[in-house]
Amino acid sequence: MNQKDVFLFLIVCFFGSLSISAQNVDNTHDGFLHCGTDQQLHKVFAEHPELKAEFELNQTRAEEQDAIDFRNGYQPINSTEKIGNSSQMTPPTYIIPIVFHVIHDYGTENISDAQILDQVRILNTDYRRLNADTISISSTFLGIATDAKIEFHLANIDPNGNCTNGIDRIFSSETYIGDDDSKLNYWPRNKYLNVWVVKSIGNGAAGYAYLPGTAPSASKDGIIIVSTYIGSIGTGNPQTSRALTHEVGHFLNLTHVWGLSNNPGITCGNDGVTDTPVTKGWVTCPAFNASHICNANIEENIQNYMEYSYCTKMFSTGQRTRMYSALGSNLGQRNQLSTVTNWAATGVNNNPPNTCAPTADFLPSDKVFICVGGSVTFDDISWKGHPTSWSWSFPGGTPSTSNDSIPVIVYNTAGVYAVTLTASNSSGSNTLSRTALVKVSSTTAQYSAAQYFEGLESAAVFTNDWTVVNAQGNGWTRVTTAAATGTASVKLTNTESMLGTVDEMVSPSINIDLISNPVFTFKLAFRQRTATDNDRLRVYVSTNCGLSWSQRYSKLGATLSTGAATTSSNFVPGAAEWRTETVSISNVLNSTNVRIKFTFESEGGNNIYIDNINISGPTGINVPDAGIQHFDVYPNPIQEQSIVTFSLEHSQKVNLQLFDMTGRVIAEIFSGTLSEGAHQFPVQGNNFLLSGMYFVKLTTSEGRSATQKLLVN
Ligand SMILES: [Zn+2]
Ligand SMILES: [Zn+2]
C-alpha cells in the first residue's frame, strides 16, 4: 500500500465506521468479500498477451452495446428458448447446468450435499430476485433491481451420459492451494458451469472466475471457490453466502462495479454498464447519503452483487442485459449452455431427478492406530446416490462383516488390516477398498532394552517396524544420500507443491521403563526455501498404541532450520548441518509401551532429514546427595535445549533453579511437589542464554541438594 492507498483506505474505513450509528445500516461486520478475479486475470494476461488484447476488444464492444441497450431502455431479450414452468413465477430466460467438483483431503472442506443444495438455492434466489432483503434496497436503485431470470440447475447427466446429482468429489491435496491446477475432472464448459470447491486459495481470496474469453484454456474456465463460502449452513454462513452469486456474475461477463483494474477504494471506475454509477468500490456499507464519493450528487450502488461489501443484494437491469449478451455469444462457448439440446444432454429437465447408484467412500474415526482389544468406528460417506444398504468386510476385525452404516469394529489380534465397503441402492452398487488402513499393536513393546537407538541403517527395520502415513504427495522415505552418522537417514522431499500436506512417521513400540533416566534425542537437518516458509515439525508420544498423542516438541520455520541460509535448490545436508534435538518425555518415563510420532506440516520449504533417534540414560552418572539420584543435565554443553533428569527416593517438595556464575537465579525451572521416581524438565538453551558457565541446582524439602554445571557455548 502506498501513501495514497493508505489514505483512500482510511476514507473507506471512516465511512465504514460511520455506518454503525447511521440509518440504513445493512451490515456491521468488518469483513468483506476478497474476490481474486482481477488478480487472476492480470496474471493470465501477463502470460497470454493475446488474451488481454482480445479481452479489451470484447469489453469495448460490450460497452458500446450497453450504450445502445441503455438508449433502448434495457429491454430484455426475448429468448425463443423459454421453457414452461407450472409455478406462478415467470419462466426463466436461461437455465444453466451446473456441477460442483469438491476437491478434498477428507477434511471439513468435503462439504455436505445439503450445503451445496443450499448454495444452489441462494444462487437461484439472487438471480431471480426472490431474496427477502430486496426490501432494504436503496430507493435510488429499487427500480432497476432486476429479476435476471437466469437459473442454475444441478446436472443430472454427466459428460459420459451417466447419472449424477451434479456433485462430484475428488480426493486430492490440490485442495490446499486452490488455483488452476486444482481444477480436476473438468466437465465440458459448453455443457456445464464448472464450480471447483477447495479448502483455501492463495492470498486469502474467497474465489475467482474467468470472464468469457479470458480462461487460459477451456478446461480452466469456470469458478473456483473456498468451501466456507458455499451456502449458509454447515461450514458456510449467511454473511458470505453470496460469493458465488458474485463470481457467476464474472463468469457472465460482469466486472466489478468500478471495473477490473484494481482493488476497491482506489480510483473511481466504470464497469461498462450505464445504470450502475461510477464508483471506487465498497468494502463497507455506509448510509446511502454517504456513498457519493466519485460524483457529489450521484449515489453509488453499494448494494450491487459485483461489489466487495457484504450488503449486496441486487443486479441492475443493465447488468442483466450484459449477462444476456454473454449468454448469446460464442465467447467461452457460453451460448451453448442454455439450449433445449443441452438441457436434455445434462438432464436438467429431469423432474424428479434420477436416483444415482452410490460411489462408495468411508472414513475411519481417527483411531487407525490402536492396541489389541481396541475398536474403530467407520463412517459411511458414500456420495452421488444415498446408499440404502452397506456390506462391509473387516479382515482381522470382530465382527468381520457388517451391514450397518456406521459399524464399530473391535480388533483382537496385532496386525495391519484392510477395510472394504460395498454401498448399494436400487440403482446399483459400488465398492471401495482401503488397504493397510487399521494398525493394531500388541500391548507388549517391540523394543525392550536399556537403550533404544535407531540409526536407520537397516532398510528392513524401517520398512517393517516404522509406519509412514502419507495422504498425498511425497512421504517419509529412508535414503542413503545423507546421514548424521552411518550411511542412511529418513527424508521428506519437501517442495512448493507439498504446501499444506501433513506427513507422519510412527515408531515401533518401545519399553521406556527399562531405560534409566531416559533422555530422548534425534538428529535433524532442515533448510527453509525462503525466509518466510513456516514448515513445522512436531514430535508426539503415545502410551496407548497411537490411539491418542501428546505433543512434546514443536519447531517451525527459521527455528527449525539447521543451516543459516535458505536454499531454493534441493537441500542435502553436509556433516555440519545436523543438529541434536532434545525432546522432554517426562510424561512417559515409566511407560512400558511408548510410540513416537514425527509430524511434518509443509509450507513449501525445503527437504527435512531425521537420523539417530535415541532414547538412553545419561552417559556420566553424577552421585549427588542421598535422596536424589541420577541427577544430570543432557546435552551438555546445551543446544536448543537440555533436559534435567533425576530420581527422588520419596515424594517431596523440590525447587529446581538455574544460576549463573555470580549466583544469580536465571530461571526457576520447577517448584512444587513431585512423586517418588524419575523426573525430567527441559531447560531452554542457546537462544536464551549468553555464553558461559551456569549451574542447575535441585534442592528438596528434606534439605538435600544436587548441582550440575551447564555450559553454554
Ligand atoms: Zn469479483
Ligand atoms: Zn456502471
Side-chain angles (χ1 to χ4, degrees):
M1 231 184 226
N2 60 34
Q3 288 285 313
K4 185 176 146 220
D5 293 353
V6 170
F7 177 64
L8 291 161
F9 181 67
L10 288 174
I11 291 179
V12 172
C13 289
F14 175 67
F15 284 111
S17 60
L18 255 190
S19 71
I20 292 166
S21 56
Q23 285 183 329
N24 299 320
V25 173
D26 283 299
N27 174 358
T28 53
H29 296 278
D30 54 2
F32 57 92
L33 176 67
H34 294 262
C35 168
T37 294
D38 55 350
Q39 216 177 356
Q40 183 67 20
L41 284 195
H42 294 130
K43 189 178 153 207
V44 169
F45 290 162
E47 291 159 13
H48 303 271
E50 75 287 357
L51 285 179
K52 181 170 195 258
E54 193 189 348
F55 172 72
E56 283 167 353
L57 185 63
N58 288 323
Q59 292 300 300
T60 304
R61 281 199 194 122
E63 200 160 346
E64 286 165 2
Q65 184 61 46
D66 172 77
I68 296 165
D69 293 337
F70 177 70
R71 279 199 299 277
N72 293 335
Y74 283 138
Q75 291 301 318
I77 296 157
N78 279 322
S79 171
T80 53
E81 290 162 351
K82 287 181 178 177
I83 58 164
N85 188 321
S86 59
S87 76
Q88 291 189 325
M89 216 169 72
T90 56
T93 305
Y94 292 96
I95 295 175
I96 298 176
I98 188 169
V99 55
F100 289 78
H101 306 283
V102 181
I103 314 297
H104 71 90
D105 188 15
Y106 287 105
T108 53
E109 71 282 359
N110 191 17
I111 54 175
S112 68
D113 283 6
Q115 192 172 337
I116 291 170
L117 293 175
D118 185 57
Q119 176 62 73
V120 174
R121 174 190 65 78
I122 291 166
L123 203 53
N124 286 316
T125 300
D126 290 350
Y127 277 82
R128 292 310 312 266
R129 198 188 183 272
L130 294 169
N131 43 314
D133 56 3
T134 51
I135 196 165
S136 56
I137 290 175
S138 165
S139 58
T140 309
F141 297 102
L142 193 56
I144 61 160
T146 193
D147 171 4
K149 295 193 180 180
I150 300 170
E151 292 184 6
F152 304 87
H153 292 193
L154 285 164
N156 287 308
I157 300 175
D158 76 11
N160 299 319
N162 296 321
C163 187
T164 178
N165 62 349
I167 300 171
D168 181 30
R169 296 182 188 273
I170 302 148
F171 166 46
S172 170
S173 62
E174 283 292 347
T175 192
Y176 292 106
I177 3 168
D179 58 16
D180 276 4
D181 293 335
S182 309
K183 294 180 173 176
L184 304 173
N185 206 22
Y186 154 80
W187 291 9
R189 68 169 176 185
N190 63 332
K191 296 175 71 178
Y192 307 90
L193 164 52
N194 286 275
V195 178
W196 287 274
V197 178
V198 294
K199 188 179 181 71
S200 61
I201 292 177
N203 303 324
Y208 66 83
Y210 283 116
L211 275 72
T214 66
S217 68
S219 65
K220 306 303 179 191
D221 210 347
I223 296 164
I224 186 166
I225 188 164
V226 172
S227 59
T228 52
Y229 287 85
I230 293 290
S232 63
I233 61 171
T235 65
N237 72 72
Q239 187 194 357
T240 57
S241 64
R242 281 168 159 168
L244 193 61
T245 301
H246 174 108
E247 296 304 332
V248 171
H250 287 316
F251 178 79
L252 297 175
N253 207 31
L254 298 186
T255 70
H256 295 136
V257 185
W258 64 96
L260 272 179
S261 52
N262 45 247
N263 288 328
I266 294 174
T267 44
C268 293
N270 161 30
D271 58 359
V273 177
T274 309
D275 66 0
T276 59
V278 167
T279 182
K280 284 177 179 170
W282 294 91
V283 295
T284 56
C285 303
F288 302 133
N289 62 13
S291 73
H292 306 67
I293 297 295
C294 291
N295 290 292
N297 296 316
I298 299 180
E299 182 183 325
E300 297 174 16
N301 190 195
I302 60 178
Q303 295 171 316
N304 194 286
Y305 287 129
M306 300 316 290
E307 276 289 355
Y308 269 29
S309 68
Y310 279 137
C311 56
T312 65
K313 54 199 65 170
M314 63 165 284
F315 286 120
S316 75
T317 311
Q319 285 175 318
R320 174 175 68 176
T321 305
R322 189 176 165 109
M323 290 193 278
Y324 285 7
S325 295
L327 283 164
S329 161
N330 62 8
L331 204 59
Q333 299 179 294
R334 305 289 194 265
N335 62 342
Q336 296 177 40
L337 284 168
S338 185
T339 67
V340 173
T341 315
N342 194 42
W343 295 333
T346 57
V348 296
N349 288 345
N350 296 5
N351 195 17
N354 305 323
T355 297
C356 303
T359 297
D361 203 353
F362 60 88
L363 258 189
S365 50
D366 284 340
K367 306 164 184 173
V368 287
F369 286 89
I370 54 171
C371 289
V372 162
S375 67
V376 181
T377 302
F378 295 89
D379 252 336
D380 165 60
I381 55 164
S382 300
W383 51 278
K384 193 155 73 178
H386 291 293
T388 49
S389 68
W390 299 264
S391 175
W392 298 84
S393 162
F394 301 107
T398 304
S400 61
T401 62
S402 171
N403 299 114
D404 286 350
S405 62
I406 310 176
V408 180
I409 305 301
V410 177
Y411 289 86
N412 290 315
T413 310
V416 176
Y417 301 108
V419 174
T420 300
L421 167 65
T422 299
S424 309
N425 64 18
S426 58
S427 298
S429 66
N430 183 250
T431 298
L432 175 71
S433 287
R434 299 174 82 180
T435 55
L437 186 65
V438 182
K439 287 103 181 171
V440 184
S441 306
S442 165
T443 48
T444 305
Q446 291 159 272
Y447 286 79
S448 247
Q451 178 181 12
Y452 174 77
F453 181 80
E454 184 49 70
L456 286 318
E457 297 302 309
S458 159
V461 166
F462 185 66
T463 304
N464 297 331
D465 292 358
W466 286 72
T467 306
V468 171
V469 182
N470 174 34
Q472 291 280 290
N474 303 322
W476 290 103
T477 310
R478 181 180 170 273
V479 294
T480 52
T481 48
T485 58
T487 57
S489 64
V490 280
K491 171 191 179 189
L492 185 67
T493 303
N494 184 32
T495 61
E496 281 136 316
S497 68
M498 290 284 283
L499 193 149
T501 60
V502 177
D503 277 277
E504 297 180 346
M505 178 172 72
V506 180
S507 78
S509 49
I510 304 158
N511 182 351
I512 303 263
D513 196 36
L514 289 184
I515 305 171
S516 163
N517 279 348
V519 173
F520 171 20
T521 60
F522 63 93
K523 289 282 188 182
L524 171 74
F526 170 71
R527 277 279 184 88
Q528 288 174 292
R529 190 170 298 272
T530 70
T532 54
D533 298 335
N534 269 330
D535 305 70
R536 185 188 289 272
L537 179 70
R538 298 180 201 265
V539 181
Y540 300 83
V541 295
S542 171
T543 56
N544 53 14
C545 305
L547 183 64
S548 61
W549 296 93
S550 68
Q551 183 184 305
R552 306 304 299 174
Y553 168 104
S554 173
K555 281 188 185 175
L556 82 168
T559 309
L560 184 64
S561 176
T562 60
T566 61
T567 183
S568 57
S569 59
N570 182 42
F571 172 55
V572 181
E577 289 175 285
W578 291 89
R579 186 175 68 212
T580 301
E581 301 292 275
T582 311
V583 182
S584 167
I585 49 171
S586 56
N587 61 327
V588 296
L589 293 180
N590 302 111
S591 173
T592 56
N593 191 324
V594 171
R595 279 174 192 268
I596 297 159
K597 178 167 75 172
F598 293 88
T599 300
F600 187 73
E601 296 154 32
S602 175
E603 262 216 1
N606 216 315
N607 304 330
I608 182 167
Y609 299 77
I610 288 172
D611 201 358
N612 294 6
I613 297 150
N614 182 49
I615 305 176
S616 62
T619 43
I621 304 289
N622 184 27
V623 184
D625 229 350
I628 305 171
Q629 285 144 8
H630 311 306
F631 185 72
D632 203 4
V633 186
Y634 181 87
N636 199 350
I638 197 168
Q639 308 215 356
E640 293 268 321
Q641 67 172 18
S642 286
I643 304 286
V644 184
T645 63
F646 56 89
S647 282
L648 293 178
E649 258 184 8
H650 32 88
S651 173
Q652 58 189 306
K653 268 189 82 175
V654 304
N655 205 7
L656 186 62
Q657 294 170 305
L658 181 69
F659 294 90
D660 68 9
M661 289 280 284
T662 68
R664 191 164 58 101
V665 176
I666 301 298
E668 297 281 354
I669 302 168
F670 178 80
S671 180
T673 302
L674 291 176
S675 59
E676 174 197 329
H679 299 281
Q680 55 182 236
F681 294 93
V683 182
Q684 294 311 318
N686 49 10
N687 291 336
F688 303 92
L689 299 175
L690 298 172
S691 294
M693 186 185 290
Y694 295 80
F695 299 95
V696 179
K697 185 176 185 186
L698 177 71
T699 46
T700 72
S701 53
E702 293 175 345
R704 314 283 187 182
S705 71
T707 306
Q708 264 281 16
K709 281 181 202 165
L710 175 62
L711 289 171
V712 177
N713 288 336

